[in-house]
Amino acid sequence: MHHMKKYFTEGLIQLTILLSLIGVRVDVDSYLNGYFSPLIEADGGPSSAFIQTPFHHYRDTAAGHQVHPKCPELDYFFTSRRLLDEVRALGSPARFPTRVSAWLVHLVPDDNADIGEPNNLSGDSGNDEINAENLREEVEDDHRTGLSVYQDHSIPRPGCPTEELSKEDTLQNQEDEEVEVKDQEETSCALLNTLTQSSALEPEDLLGSSTLPPPLSDVVVLPQWQDFLSEFDNFDSMVPQPIPYLEADLSNPISYDASLRDAMVTRREICRPPLFRLESTNSSHSDQPQSSLGALPSSLFSLSGNSSRNETTQSRMGGYLDEAVFEHINMLDLGNLGTVDPQMLLDDSDSGLSLESGSRSAASPSTSSDSLCEEEGGATGYSSEVESFSSKGGACAAAYRDWSPVDLNEYIWHDHTYSLPQDQNSTSSCWVPPLKSIKQEVMSEDEAEPEEMGRDERRVQALGLPFSAFQIVNMPVEDFLELLDRQDLSEPQVSFLRDVRRRGKNKLAAQNCRKRKLDAIVSLQGEVEGLMVQRDAVLRQRANTAKALSAVAERFEALSQTVLSRLQDECGQPLRPENYTLHCSANGRVVVQPRTSRTSRTTVTGGKTAKRKKDKKP
DNA sequence: GGGGTATGTCATGAG
DNA sequence: CACTCATGACATACC
């Protein structure tokens, strides 16, 4: 069954390619999505990672070609999809592509039909039977009346699903563009509503009347005009839909609270908001993901169609993929979490300390890890402790290991790494003996390199205290207070030890703070990149909208000419369309005004037949 | 010697 | 109220 499906799909795609080469688009996305989706295939046995991980959406993009090498079926699937997309990109009509097939199927011979315009073709196939029937009637009617308005069918009908355009236009429209288009739409609709509301006036009435022609409000609207009207009613479908999240996401990153904590939390917990939702050029994807994939975040699908972002996209997708992979790892085998690369865990942990290890080591070869351990030997608690514990093996590390036999993983998971477990050092009797040994260890190392010892460490040693600055900083406050009491220290010594502890903690806090600041900057850079991509998308959307607007304007002009050609003056003489123009206002008034002068107008309202046509006569 | 960077330290406010 | 943390500002060391 699986292979049959595969071969059938292959043949279907080949047929689609052939049809695409001649300009006919056959939408097999639904088939591919519904019957050959890797998600469906995954139901047969693959792990849930296939379901949860949106690899297949990335595979459609340049950045996703190497995403998912696990499943050969996915390779076939993605290859097919890519091939189909490429063919479509080369040969498919730019606009209203699916209407081509519908037009070809239901084409009715008509000399006036605008067959040559590939973009303006019939409506959706769902209404094809009905439309074809209407079309025949219109043909007969227009053959009788001499009207030729079949080009009206080129505009999407009310029944046409808006996804046709939203599929084709992978971008959402811009707000001002929408307003502009809607203005035009309102104008058109006003005119056509006026025509619609007019009484049943046959074209013969218009043509044969020897008297003053009835007002425009009485003009009957033929079915084709109603189609045209309905098309204008549905003009929103012609224009890519607005970006509902545009306002929020545009404002969000810019007016973002500068709190670094918020930046980090936002980045980790909610990943990235869907800054942009560029739908795939594979049109049927637009309505599939949410339904078929359920809880998959829309942002995961948002990148699939944009191949222009290259590095940025790849990096961002890499982030998505990493998170997705880790999610699946966690879901599939939480028990083996310890087998995950600790470095990845460190990078993903919320601990600023653990996070810092990577950047710090990369940024400065001579990190403070050495100094913290070797020079100062004091206020560590920094991620370098891990290195000290795990790799150095020096006296300092050994001392720490002996003094604080804490599980390192547990140790570094927490943000406040300097807060040692209380059960390990809850009583002075527990930590005093190790302190001596640590002291000896540290002293032996410090003697080797005394010049690199920290200032506080040296001063602590100068006091002859049996503990290091590191211990002073990292021990629990109860132990620290108990230590101050037990050691019978003088007031300056107590003050000094408090300062040592305060400085050590503040040093760690500063390191964390700088790390957060750095992360916030990186996050904001990502936001900026996303906004730039979104800006490009909006610009492209604007261009598309302008094209649609231009097409509507042309059709409106043609309609006006047709209407004007059927109007007559009081002498029964037909108006010369080249001398007049129809102007529709937002309040429903239709004004026939001369092209040269706009002072005298003939206003025709929808219900009230304002017969002022005489006024505008030349 | 000046600029850039990294780091430590202090002051301050908030929790 | 003491402690801890976050963070801006400043100082210092290093390249």
Side-chain angles (χ1 to χ4, degrees):
Chain A
M1 183 62 185
H2 172 76
H3 295 292
M4 289 179 61
K5 193 188 308 178
K6 185 175 178 179
Y7 291 140
F8 179 69
T9 302
E10 185 176 6
L12 177 60
I13 290 176
Q14 290 175 356
L15 176 61
T16 302
I17 291 172
L18 292 176
L19 291 175
S20 299
L21 290 176
I22 62 174
V24 178
R25 169 174 170 165
V26 176
D27 196 349
V28 297
D29 289 336
S30 57
Y31 169 76
L32 292 177
N33 286 332
Y35 299 97
F36 203 66
S37 169
L39 304 179
I40 304 300
E41 298 292 329
D43 291 342
S47 68
S48 61
F50 286 160
I51 300 177
Q52 299 293 333
T53 306
F55 295 108
H56 42 285
H57 290 273
Y58 298 121
R59 290 295 297 267
D60 284 87
T61 66
H65 288 318
Q66 300 169 357
V67 168
H68 203 296
K70 298 177 183 177
C71 182
E73 286 78 8
L74 290 179
D75 283 337
Y76 175 79
F77 173 76
F78 292 123
T79 302
S80 303
R81 293 291 299 270
R82 252 196 331 273
L83 200 60
L84 186 59
D85 290 341
E86 290 172 2
V87 171
R88 284 175 179 170
L90 291 175
S92 61
R95 295 173 56 228
F96 318 133
T98 57
R99 311 191 190 290
V100 175
S101 57
W103 176 262
L104 292 176
V105 171
H106 300 286
L107 178 64
V108 177
D110 180 27
D111 297 336
N112 298 324
D114 189 8
I115 306 176
E117 186 179 353
N119 292 339
N120 293 339
L121 294 172
S122 177
D124 65 319
S125 58
N127 297 329
D128 281 342
E129 284 72 15
I130 300 174
N131 291 336
E133 195 65 27
N134 294 334
L135 204 57
R136 294 190 190 91
E137 296 177 1
E138 292 161 2
V139 168
E140 296 173 4
D141 193 10
D142 284 336
H143 278 298
R144 181 167 50 91
T145 60
L147 294 178
S148 60
V149 289
Y150 280 99
Q151 64 272 20
D152 293 342
H153 293 281
S154 60
I155 294 182
R157 296 167 183 272
C160 293
T162 57
E163 64 236 22
E164 299 249 333
L165 282 169
S166 61
K167 293 172 190 173
E168 197 63 26
D169 301 325
T170 59
L171 308 172
Q172 311 285 333
N173 67 343
Q174 199 177 8
E175 205 168 319
D176 51 349
E177 293 294 336
E178 183 186 10
V179 171
E180 183 182 1
V181 171
K182 283 189 173 179
D183 287 343
Q184 186 73 15
E185 176 191 2
E186 288 175 357
T187 302
S188 303
C189 288
L191 166 64
L192 294 164
N193 278 324
T194 302
L195 297 176
T196 306
Q197 294 170 3
S198 61
S199 60
L201 178 64
E202 293 300 327
E204 291 81 0
D205 298 333
L206 278 174
L207 298 176
S209 174
S210 59
T211 60
L212 184 66
L216 286 177
S217 59
D218 293 333
V219 174
V220 67
V221 179
L222 299 176
Q224 58 268 29
W225 299 105
Q226 292 178 357
D227 279 347
F228 189 87
L229 173 64
S230 60
E231 288 157 2
F232 275 100
D233 287 338
N234 201 32
F235 183 75
D236 280 340
S237 65
M238 299 178 61
V239 181
Q241 297 305 305
I243 306 175
Y245 47 84
L246 187 59
E247 298 81 2
D249 286 328
L250 278 176
S251 60
N252 230 4
I254 296 175
S255 63
Y256 205 91
D257 189 342
S259 170
L260 298 176
R261 177 200 289 260
D262 292 345
M264 293 188 67
V265 170
T266 301
R267 196 166 69 105
R268 291 201 182 94
E269 293 185 354
I270 62 175
C271 298
R272 293 185 186 280
L275 288 174
F276 43 90
R277 189 179 51 176
L278 302 180
E279 296 179 5
S280 170
T281 52
N282 275 326
S283 54
S284 60
H285 274 234
S286 59
D287 54 356
Q288 286 288 341
Q290 292 300 334
S291 60
S292 61
L293 299 179
L296 282 178
S298 60
S299 59
L300 295 178
F301 305 92
S302 62
L303 304 173
S304 57
N306 190 356
S307 61
S308 64
R309 285 179 299 128
N310 300 339
E311 294 180 3
T312 302
T313 302
Q314 292 177 13
S315 63
R316 292 170 67 93
M317 274 195 285
Y320 286 126
L321 291 176
D322 290 342
E323 293 180 5
V325 168
F326 290 144
E327 282 185 9
H328 298 312
I329 290 173
N330 292 333
M331 292 180 61
L332 294 173
D333 198 359
L334 288 174
N336 295 331
L337 187 61
T339 61
V340 180
D341 186 3
Q343 185 58 41
M344 293 192 294
L345 298 177
L346 284 174
D347 292 341
D348 196 44
S349 71
D350 198 21
S351 171
L353 300 179
S354 57
L355 280 169
E356 200 154 6
S357 62
S359 63
R360 287 285 301 273
S361 59
S364 56
S366 63
T367 63
S368 63
S369 61
D370 296 336
S371 63
L372 288 172
C373 182
E374 297 173 357
E375 299 175 9
E376 299 180 0
T380 56
Y382 177 52
S383 64
S384 58
E385 284 179 348
V386 180
E387 301 172 6
S388 300
F389 278 111
S390 59
S391 62
K392 282 194 167 228
C396 181
Y400 292 158
R401 198 178 299 116
D402 294 337
W403 179 67
S404 177
V406 183
D407 182 33
L408 290 180
N409 287 329
E410 180 183 359
Y411 190 64
I412 61 178
W413 285 108
H414 305 293
D415 196 358
H416 315 308
T417 53
Y418 36 80
S419 298
L420 292 176
Q422 306 232 351
D423 55 347
Q424 300 291 337
N425 305 285
S426 58
T427 61
S428 59
S429 59
C430 294
W431 56 265
V432 169
L435 284 180
K436 296 179 179 178
S437 60
I438 293 171
K439 176 67 180 177
Q440 294 172 357
E441 297 272 1
V442 174
M443 283 297 292
S444 61
E445 183 173 350
D446 291 341
E447 288 173 358
E449 297 179 348
E451 68 279 4
E452 295 182 1
M453 191 192 305
R455 182 189 62 182
D456 286 345
E457 188 66 43
R458 286 194 299 268
R459 295 174 66 178
V460 168
Q461 290 184 8
L463 289 176
L465 298 176
F467 38 79
S468 65
F470 171 82
Q471 295 160 357
I472 292 173
V473 171
N474 292 283
M475 67 176 61
V477 61
E478 296 85 357
D479 295 347
F480 178 68
L481 296 176
E482 188 176 359
L483 179 147
L484 295 180
D485 293 339
R486 287 197 175 190
Q487 293 297 324
D488 193 17
L489 300 171
S490 63
E491 189 66 24
Q493 288 176 331
V494 170
S495 177
F496 165 71
L497 290 182
R498 288 184 179 276
D499 289 342
V500 168
R501 182 178 174 88
R502 176 183 52 81
R503 282 193 292 266
K505 288 188 177 297
N506 188 251
K507 182 165 68 176
L508 299 179
Q511 291 167 353
N512 289 336
C513 181
R514 283 163 179 150
K515 179 63 181 66
R516 274 188 294 269
K517 200 180 293 184
L518 208 61
D519 288 345
I521 291 172
V522 172
S523 175
L524 290 176
Q525 284 179 341
E527 302 284 356
V528 169
E529 292 173 357
L531 289 175
M532 291 177 66
V533 172
Q534 188 175 359
R535 172 179 168 274
D536 294 340
V538 170
L539 290 177
R540 287 193 296 271
Q541 173 61 39
R542 186 170 73 174
N544 292 336
T545 305
K547 290 179 180 178
L549 180 63
S550 176
V552 170
E554 287 182 8
R555 300 190 50 73
F556 176 74
E557 181 64 20
L559 176 62
S560 298
Q561 296 300 311
T562 304
V563 171
L564 289 171
S565 67
R566 281 153 180 75
L567 296 180
Q568 298 173 345
D569 58 9
E570 67 276 12
C571 300
Q573 299 299 322
L575 296 179
R576 304 185 65 177
E578 61 271 18
N579 294 334
Y580 296 92
T581 181
L582 289 179
H583 186 79
C584 304
S585 59
N587 58 1
R589 288 174 173 267
V590 178
V591 179
V592 178
Q593 62 183 29
R595 288 186 181 276
T596 55
S597 173
R598 301 194 176 199
T599 56
S600 63
R601 294 183 176 181
T602 296
T603 301
V604 180
T605 56
K608 304 170 183 177
T609 61
K611 300 182 179 181
R612 301 176 185 173
K613 195 176 179 184
K614 297 176 183 177
D615 299 339
K616 51 83 187 155
K617 284 184 59 182

